[in-house]
Amino acid sequence: MECTSVPGRFGHDIREDEMNPRLMDLKREGSARAHSDGVRVPKKEALRMHVAPRTARRWNHEGPPQLTQLAVYMDGHPSPHRIAAHVMALAEDDVARMTKDELIMEYRRIIVGECELEAADRRALVEQCPWLDIAAQAERNAASDARKAAIARQFELRGIPWTVAHHG
């Protein structure tokens, strides 16, 4: 079977039957950072997925294989942001289980904390941080916005007025 070279999404040529090694390394690095940033104890989260302790330690460097596989799936997808929005909606399950008071407390925590996230995001650009650090900071900022959006949807669903969410 003859393989042809096609232009990749990231400005390099890739063969149709293989992934660029550098791109794959970037996907693993991003998955590892997202895994480590996303939970308080990354190893504990890996063990929740019923993997061996040695595998759990490897996730800190390579990321969960499920997340890496999702990144591979998203590469070249005709509508990756739509798929990402769907995955984020699935992840918002805990917000739906919160009480009204818990939602309000979480919302207030987020709107105060997002100032620091926005500042760190901008600072990474101004200070010319490495690209992967800039990407990770932007992802942290986006995650905060996604959670805030999930809470806002719950406010609408439950009929909680803006004044109650902001002023009690």
Side-chain angles (χ1 to χ4, degrees):
M1 178 175 153
E2 185 177 319
C3 296
T4 58
S5 179
V6 295
R9 268 182 64 195
F10 298 101
H12 58 273
D13 286 346
I14 58 173
R15 289 175 38 161
E16 289 179 355
D17 66 337
E18 66 184 38
M19 177 69 66
N20 178 306
R22 184 170 176 180
L23 179 58
M24 200 61 211
D25 288 347
L26 283 173
K27 288 180 187 306
R28 284 191 188 103
E29 173 72 19
S31 294
R33 284 181 182 224
H35 170 68
S36 295
D37 282 359
V39 292
R40 284 195 358 227
V41 183
K43 184 177 177 183
K44 186 176 180 180
E45 179 61 19
L47 293 174
R48 182 182 71 83
M49 299 296 293
H50 307 291
V51 299
R54 182 175 176 192
T55 301
R57 285 190 300 272
R58 191 170 58 242
W59 282 18
N60 288 331
H61 306 288
E62 297 179 9
Q66 299 90 336
L67 188 54
T68 302
Q69 188 63 31
L70 178 62
V72 170
Y73 170 73
M74 300 283 279
D75 185 32
H77 191 282
S79 184
H81 292 93
R82 175 63 183 91
I83 300 299
H86 172 69
V87 170
M88 289 170 59
L90 294 174
E92 295 168 357
D93 184 51
D94 68 316
V95 171
R97 290 191 308 264
M98 289 181 175
T99 67
K100 174 184 167 183
D101 290 339
E102 290 171 334
L103 277 173
I104 291 171
M105 284 178 21
E106 179 72 355
Y107 178 72
R108 291 177 182 171
R109 184 192 67 76
I110 288 172
I111 60 175
V112 169
E114 74 181 346
C115 296
E116 291 177 23
L117 286 171
E118 286 281 346
D121 189 12
R122 299 296 180 263
R123 192 169 40 254
L125 289 169
V126 171
E127 294 175 356
Q128 299 178 1
C129 291
W131 286 118
L132 289 179
D133 291 347
I134 291 170
Q137 194 57 52
E139 289 163 356
R140 288 182 197 106
N141 191 21
S144 174
D145 286 342
R147 187 149 179 92
K148 182 174 64 172
I151 292 170
R153 282 190 215 98
Q154 282 296 312
F155 286 161
E156 177 65 27
L157 180 66
R158 298 178 191 192
I160 298 171
W162 189 92
T163 54
V164 171
H166 286 266
H167 303 296

